Amino acid sequence: MSDDVWILGIYMTKFGKYPDRDTVDLAAEAVLAALKDGGVSMKDMGVLAAGCLMDAPGIAQRIQKQIGQTGIPAYNVSNACATGATALKTAIMTVKSGEADFGLAVGVEKLAGAGLLGGAGKSGKAGASWEPQGRFGEVMETEGRIGTSGMPGTFAQIGMEYLHTYGATDFDVFAKISEKNHFHSTLNPLAAYTKAMSLDQIKNDIMIAYPNTRPMCSANCDGAAAAVVVSDAKLKTLSLEQQRRAIKVSASVLTTDPYEEACQVLPNVNTLTRNAAKIAYERAGIGPEDLDLVELHDCFATAELVHYDNLMLCEEGGAVDFFESGATWRTGKTPVNVSGGLQSKGHPIAATGIANIWEICHHLRGEAGPRQIEGAKVGLAHVIGLGSACGIHVLERSGL
Amino acid sequence: MSNQIPFVDYLVLGDHPHLVANECTACGARFFDRRNACAGCSGTEFRKADVATDGEIMSFTIVTFAAPGVPVPFVSAIVNCQGTSVRGNIINVEPSPESVTMGQKVTLATYPLGADENGVEAIGFGFQPA
């Protein structure tokens, strides 16, 4: 017996558009299916952690009211794009603490047709008299006048900064990363978009924030994902089949961004990811070279590049060469985002941090069908939410 | 000058327009917003520090798609002003990838953003090629 925690059941809905279903419908589908996948029921659960960024507070209780009010503690979790990972970690911590044998985490979002997120403007028009407002004392909307804090532009600058720091000048690398992820999604029936796109198609699509064109941005869509976790002791009392399919959580890490010069001017998504990765590898006793697949937070093509480096999949400064070597294609040394990633599978924000765990579990269980990474034993799932929060989970198959 | 107002508190107008930061007296970290304490060392004492008006572009993007009311296209950049990072627009250039380069030398410039009903003109800042 150990204090390990295992993923017993997990599920993601198909990502896409659900005009006739609300967030509770989608979350309920995910939770009920995750419970079934684990061979357990709501009555077994000792804790619920749920996240939905765009809904009114209280998604956990609204879900309970539809599928089982068992009186357990419920946490409503909100941590930007790391919300799903934070919900999962909350359930894991509760089980690890001994307060519960089983825990449940769910993330759900409805974003189809939501358009651009973040950086939305107040009126830029002059009023009766200028009145300085806010912490910067601005007299009108700063977006577009003091650079951008919108997501596409912010992450564009993050990718461009990386190239500048390491002396790279060919910006096509970002579009090529997008080409990879769109190609990968052709094998994922649950992805919101499953069409391959050529490099030319990607580069010539609508420009959002240079160099990110529309297909290089995460796809807004609807979706939910849920996971059931169980203690090591309890798992050993369950059936051999449940034990065989259970996936070990070898590390569950959450970090925020430590202060560094410039980090309040352009969010630094690098240091907190690197810090989380270091802790995760140490806790798991696993190195980046051991990973059979990685799902990382490619909210924009420019983000995926920097995270190769931050997760130490390549040597420092070597992300461009690493990608150009083919390493991150599904046939490469370290397949990255074989689900299609946020750019093609889609990004229903609060669901993402559990959906990427589902993808890894699917491969580790050998159940990923045509897109199976053969013989996968170890995987890593990474999310980052601006603000910032980084969640990393390292997962291993049971070996039974 | 009384008929002008800076777009943000940290822009100082006058003969030599420049930015001014809240600098932590303990660790030297610089911030542009109103502070409760220092994010670097939690110190609570700050002094005003003038920020250099010349710098170089550490990163940029050209935003062509934004929320309603946001004027596009515009060039957003992170400018290293002799050790202090500043976010701002690159102005007085074509907003095209050919017109802006990484590492480019730029200098602070101001421009009018319109007047309110009392005739007070808001003055913004950006960076233009040096």
Side-chain angles (χ1 to χ4, degrees), chain A residues 75-146:
Chain A
Y75 297 87
N76 288 288
V77 169
S78 175
N79 220 356
C81 299
T83 294
T86 305
L88 181 63
K89 184 169 173 64
T90 303
I92 289 169
M93 286 191 301
T94 306
V95 169
K96 223 178 180 65
S97 76
E99 276 198 31
D101 293 330
F102 294 99
L104 177 61
V106 58
V108 61
E109 212 77 62
K110 284 203 69 174
L111 279 181
L116 213 61
L117 304 178
K122 303 184 281 275
S123 162
K125 291 212 171 65
S129 63
W130 300 116
E131 273 187 41
Q133 291 177 352
R135 284 187 170 260
F136 294 100
E138 68 268 23
V139 297
M140 65 172 95
E141 170 61 38
T142 57
E143 179 68 15
R145 297 185 180 91
I146 300 190

Side-chain angles (χ1 to χ4, degrees), chain B residues 58-72:
Chain B
M58 301 307 291
S59 188
F60 76 93
T61 182
I62 302 162
V63 176
T64 43
F65 194 87
V70 176
V72 289

Side-chain angles (χ1 to χ4, degrees), chain A residues 130 135 144 147 157 207 210, chain B residues 9 34 59 61 64 85 89 120:
Chain A
W130 300 116
R135 284 187 170 260
Q157 290 175 107
M207 182 61 74
Y210 179 84
Chain B
D9 280 345
R34 175 167 61 79
S59 188
T61 182
T64 43
S85 296
N89 285 11
V120 177

Side-chain angles (χ1 to χ4, degrees), chain A residues 116 118-122 124 126-132 134-149 152-154 156-165 171 206-212 259 261-262 264-267, chain B residues 5-10 29-36 39-40 56-71 74-78 83-89 97 102-103 111 113-118 120-122 125:
Chain A
L116 213 61
K122 303 184 281 275
S129 63
W130 300 116
E131 273 187 41
R135 284 187 170 260
F136 294 100
E138 68 268 23
V139 297
M140 65 172 95
E141 170 61 38
T142 57
E143 179 68 15
R145 297 185 180 91
I146 300 190
T148 185
S149 56
T154 295
Q157 290 175 107
I158 286 165
M160 296 284 274
E161 178 188 47
Y162 183 88
L163 292 195
H164 182 55
T165 301
F171 302 155
I206 297 167
M207 182 61 74
I208 304 293
Y210 179 84
N212 286 325
Y259 177 78
E261 203 285 321
Q264 294 195 10
V265 173
L266 178 68
Chain B
I5 184 170
F7 178 36
V8 284
D9 280 345
Y10 61 93
R30 289 181 168 187
F31 304 91
F32 292 111
D33 60 349
R34 175 167 61 79
R35 299 303 304 177
N36 298 93
E56 60 181 78
I57 295 176
M58 301 307 291
S59 188
F60 76 93
T61 182
I62 302 162
V63 176
T64 43
F65 194 87
V70 176
F74 64 93
V75 183
S76 169
I78 306 302
T84 301
S85 296
V86 179
R87 187 173 79 214
N89 285 11
M102 306 293 274
Y111 65 102
L113 281 162
D116 66 12
E117 287 177 3
N118 305 319
V120 177
E121 194 170 42
F125 78 90

Side-chain angles (χ1 to χ4, degrees), chain A residues 25-283:
Chain A
D25 290 324
L26 294 172
E29 176 190 333
V31 167
L32 292 172
L35 291 166
K36 188 178 176 194
D37 183 53
V40 287
S41 76
M42 272 308 279
K43 290 190 180 67
D44 298 310
M45 298 301 108
V47 62
L48 167 64
C52 180
L53 276 195
M54 309 307 260
D55 264 15
I59 186 72
Q61 287 85 347
R62 288 199 294 280
I63 294 167
Q64 286 180 306
K65 284 179 173 64
Q66 288 302 319
I67 63 170
Q69 290 177 254
T70 54
I72 58 174
Y75 297 87
N76 288 288
V77 169
S78 175
N79 220 356
C81 299
T83 294
T86 305
L88 181 63
K89 184 169 173 64
T90 303
I92 289 169
M93 286 191 301
T94 306
V95 169
K96 223 178 180 65
S97 76
E99 276 198 31
D101 293 330
F102 294 99
L104 177 61
V106 58
V108 61
E109 212 77 62
K110 284 203 69 174
L111 279 181
L116 213 61
L117 304 178
K122 303 184 281 275
S123 162
K125 291 212 171 65
S129 63
W130 300 116
E131 273 187 41
Q133 291 177 352
R135 284 187 170 260
F136 294 100
E138 68 268 23
V139 297
M140 65 172 95
E141 170 61 38
T142 57
E143 179 68 15
R145 297 185 180 91
I146 300 190
T148 185
S149 56
M151 299 292 159
T154 295
F155 279 96
Q157 290 175 107
I158 286 165
M160 296 284 274
E161 178 188 47
Y162 183 88
L163 292 195
H164 182 55
T165 301
Y166 294 108
T169 52
D170 184 3
F171 302 155
D172 274 1
V173 65
F174 300 122
K176 289 179 190 169
I177 286 172
S178 194
E179 179 189 22
K180 167 183 73 72
N181 290 354
H182 284 282
F183 174 78
H184 282 169
S185 75
T186 61
L187 297 171
N188 185 357
L190 298 188
Y193 299 93
T194 54
K195 283 187 185 146
M197 294 185 79
S198 72
L199 193 58
D200 278 346
Q201 277 178 307
I202 291 165
K203 286 173 62 180
N204 294 324
D205 206 304
I206 297 167
M207 182 61 74
I208 304 293
Y210 179 84
N212 286 325
T213 62
R214 186 175 53 181
M216 296 161 73
C217 302
S218 48
N220 287 337
C221 63
D222 306 335
V228 173
V229 295
V230 62
S231 69
D232 190 69
K234 194 70 185 178
L235 179 66
K236 289 201 162 58
T237 69
L238 302 180
S239 74
L240 192 59
E241 179 64 3
Q242 283 167 306
Q243 292 184 47
R244 190 188 65 75
R245 289 182 75 248
I247 299 295
K248 187 171 137 188
V249 180
S250 301
S252 172
V253 180
L254 195 64
T255 57
T256 55
D257 46 334
Y259 177 78
E260 289 175 287
E261 203 285 321
C263 77
Q264 294 195 10
V265 173
L266 178 68
N268 181 338
V269 301
N270 302 317
T271 305
L272 82 166
T273 297
R274 192 168 280 271
N275 287 352
K278 277 182 197 160
I279 297 167
Y281 292 137
E282 191 181 314
R283 281 193 195 153

Side-chain angles (χ1 to χ4, degrees), chain B residues 87-129:
Chain B
R87 187 173 79 214
N89 285 11
I90 304 299
I91 58 173
N92 303 329
V93 295
E94 277 295 306
S96 74
E98 292 74 32
S99 309
V100 186
T101 52
M102 306 293 274
Q104 190 175 354
K105 306 281 188 208
V106 292
T107 186
L108 187 103
T110 57
Y111 65 102
L113 281 162
D116 66 12
E117 287 177 3
N118 305 319
V120 177
E121 194 170 42
I123 303 293
F125 78 90
F127 292 89
Q128 65 185 11

